[in-house]
């Protein structure tokens, strides 16, 4: 991996970041590692960067690091992987023949679940520790949107799909008991057992 230093980087920080990248594992594309301060990172990413941010330019990827944080590093690497791995894309990508706002929202939600799936398979406790069950379910002005918005936030789905079903259910039991809880619970179980865009979109179409 090529490394570019746009700010001073001490040996400890360099080793910490490289160790996290090695632990994540092989990437489907080449990624340049860029250490940057906040100003340089904002210029590169086009937005404020607190910890790390993956950027893409004409098919080339870079990981911009402002402050080392294992979860953030892994999440950005997972985001790149989910975009470039054929098997991963087959889960979240919207088929060309399916259009509309709901399809777009579902694709984004599943993309986020796939990103967290990469993390869960490598260190499930890291993902579980970052999840707040009280963030779900989400109640929107539309039932289908509520289900999809909640799915986008529900890391327990990724944890369950990764094979840690007991931990996933333990976390999910702490979710808010709002009116949509039971409906989302049924939807969630379907998603875990049928983790692919077409199946889930068809389920939503029947609601």
């Amino acid at each position: 991996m090529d490394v570019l230093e746009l700010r001073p980087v001490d040996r400890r920080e360099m080793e910490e970041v490289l160790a996290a990248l090695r632990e994540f594992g092989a990437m489907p594309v080449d990624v340049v590692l860029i250490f940057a301060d906040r100003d340089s990172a904002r210029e590169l990413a086009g937005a404020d960067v607190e910890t790390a941010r993956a950027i893409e330019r004409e098919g080339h990827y870079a990981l911009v690091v402002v402050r080392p944080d294992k979860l953030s590093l892994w999440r950005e690497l997972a985001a790149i992987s989910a975009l470039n791995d054929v098997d991963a894309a087959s889960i979240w990508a919207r088929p060309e023949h399916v259009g509309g706002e709901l399809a777009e929202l579902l694709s984004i939600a599943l993309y986020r679940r796939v990103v967290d799936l990469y993390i869960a398979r490598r260190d499930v406790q890291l993902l579980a520790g970052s999840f707040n069950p009280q963030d779900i379910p989400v109640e929107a002005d539309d039932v289908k949107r509520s289900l999809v918005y909640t799915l986008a936030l529900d890391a327990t789905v990724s944890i369950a799909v990764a094979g840690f079903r007991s931990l996933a259910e333990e976390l999910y039991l702490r979710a808010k008991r709002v009116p949509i809880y039971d409906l989302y619970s049924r939807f969630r179980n379907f998603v875990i057992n049928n983790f692919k865009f077409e199946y889930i979109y068809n389920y939503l179409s029947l609601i």
Side-chain angles (χ1 to χ4, degrees), residues 2-10 13-14 32-46 49 53 55 57 62-67:
D2 293 333
V3 179
L4 180 61
E5 298 178 26
L6 301 182
R7 62 170 173 82
V9 182
D10 61 32
E13 181 183 4
M14 178 70 74
V32 176
L33 177 61
I34 302 176
F35 289 91
D37 58 25
R38 290 180 183 274
D39 291 337
S40 298
R42 186 185 304 111
E43 184 176 344
L44 289 167
V49 179
R53 177 73 61 86
I55 59 174
R57 296 287 187 277
L63 179 60
V64 180
V65 178
V66 173
R67 178 173 54 84

Side-chain angles (χ1 to χ4, degrees), residues 61-166:
Y61 289 87
L63 179 60
V64 180
V65 178
V66 173
R67 178 173 54 84
D69 173 82
K70 182 178 178 180
L71 179 60
S72 296
L73 291 170
W74 277 18
R75 188 156 272 152
E76 296 305 308
L77 292 174
I80 295 172
S81 298
L83 287 171
N84 291 278
D85 181 88
V86 174
D87 291 337
S90 70
I91 296 171
W92 65 265
R94 175 182 59 81
E96 291 185 2
H97 66 275
V98 180
E101 181 188 22
L102 182 64
E104 291 291 344
L105 292 173
L106 177 59
S107 180
I108 293 169
L110 283 173
Y111 175 73
R112 295 183 66 170
R113 291 303 97 240
V114 170
V115 167
D116 279 354
L117 178 59
Y118 278 97
I119 298 170
R121 285 173 171 167
R122 288 159 173 79
D123 186 343
V124 69
Q125 293 299 334
L126 181 65
L127 179 61
S130 70
F131 173 65
N132 181 4
Q134 289 297 299
D135 287 340
I136 62 170
V138 175
E139 292 187 292
D141 57 355
D142 174 87
V143 170
K144 294 180 182 180
R145 285 193 184 90
S146 296
L147 297 177
V148 175
Y149 290 161
T150 303
L151 176 62
L153 296 175
D154 188 2
T156 70
V157 170
S158 301
I159 292 170
V161 173
F164 302 94
R165 192 67 180 258
S166 295

